[in-house]
Amino acid sequence: MNKIYFLFLALLLLNCNESKPSRKTAKIETYLKTTESKFQNYKTNSVVREELNNFIKRDFKSQFNNSILSDLPFQLDRVEKCENGKYILSLEHSLTSKLEDEGMLSNLEIDLYCSIDEKKAKELTEGKFYLIDGKFNEYITFQNNEQYCAYVLMSPFVGFTSELEGNEIQFGSIAFELKSIKEVQ
């Protein structure tokens, strides 16, 4: 009887020591890795990096509309009522607002802004993480930032930065039309 007990205990301990299951690769990660492979020496050649970044800035709009961000959690930074009476959501995946901070996702920075109706705006909780789906409207710049209650300090840089700049992948601030939003459980 003791042998069975010890065998059971040993199996239980082995199961406790198993590593956590690996997380599923986000669609944006797959996209970025595929794009990166098309411009292989972008890390050591600024001309190639510029070509990569120009490609991403153009191509990302259609990828956004194909739900490329639908499995990436965004933190709701704030809900704001603008001077024009519209309610705006500000969502981020940047700096400290990352639910998943692994691999390529730890270098990814995206800020999203969208209009939302008053009822839904008041139901959401700032600081929580949400999965979104939507349609790309435009990059937010100095010229259009007021309509999104956005605090844009510079024109958006989109693309991979150099090692000297921190190896970040930036998409700036993006205005989009919200199709769906769901809290991450």
Side-chain angles (χ1 to χ4, degrees):
M1 187 68 158
N2 282 344
K3 288 181 182 179
I4 294 174
Y5 173 74
F6 285 118
L7 179 62
F8 176 74
L9 186 60
L11 289 172
L12 185 63
L13 288 173
L14 283 173
N15 285 335
C16 289
N17 289 334
E18 287 182 11
S19 62
K20 68 178 184 177
S22 60
R23 70 172 175 78
K24 185 180 172 200
T25 302
K27 294 175 193 175
I28 185 73
E29 280 181 285
T30 303
Y31 169 74
L32 291 171
K33 287 177 183 175
T34 301
T35 303
E36 215 178 12
S37 70
K38 294 176 185 176
F39 299 88
Q40 291 186 1
N41 62 334
Y42 77 92
K43 290 181 181 181
T44 58
N45 187 307
S46 52
V47 171
V48 176
R49 187 171 42 258
E50 186 176 340
E51 289 174 359
L52 164 66
N53 294 344
N54 288 336
F55 172 81
I56 286 177
K57 190 166 186 172
R58 285 186 317 272
D59 188 60
F60 185 71
K61 296 173 186 180
S62 64
Q63 298 301 321
F64 191 106
N65 293 339
N66 290 330
S67 303
I68 195 168
L69 298 176
S70 64
D71 60 351
L72 181 67
F74 283 85
Q75 186 176 41
L76 178 58
D77 177 45
R78 71 182 182 283
V79 179
E80 189 164 346
K81 184 176 180 181
C82 296
E83 290 178 15
N84 61 13
K86 289 198 300 191
Y87 288 85
I88 301 288
L89 297 183
S90 171
L91 300 139
E92 8 178 89
H93 182 86
S94 56
L95 302 175
T96 58
S97 59
K98 295 179 177 133
L99 182 62
E100 297 172 354
D101 195 8
E102 299 181 29
M104 196 171 256
L105 293 180
S106 65
N107 296 327
L108 182 62
E109 296 201 16
I110 304 175
D111 294 329
L112 301 176
Y113 293 83
C114 68
S115 296
I116 192 165
D117 66 76
E118 180 181 2
K119 181 178 184 265
K120 187 66 176 172
K122 292 179 178 181
E123 293 173 355
L124 302 173
T125 305
E126 293 172 353
K128 297 266 182 167
F129 289 88
Y130 294 89
L131 296 174
I132 60 95
D133 194 18
K135 181 179 179 258
F136 186 98
N137 281 349
E138 60 187 334
Y139 289 106
I140 299 176
T141 65
F142 288 127
Q143 289 75 32
N144 65 3
N145 67 354
E146 288 183 13
Q147 72 187 50
Y148 300 104
C149 300
Y151 302 109
V152 176
L153 302 176
M154 64 179 88
S155 291
F157 170 80
V158 176
F160 288 74
T161 62
S162 69
E163 285 185 29
L164 295 173
E165 299 167 310
N167 285 322
E168 294 178 349
I169 307 160
Q170 299 177 0
F171 285 91
S173 297
I174 297 171
F176 76 105
E177 181 184 320
L178 184 66
K179 291 181 187 175
S180 67
I181 185 166
K182 179 182 173 189
E183 185 177 342
V184 175
Q185 300 298 325

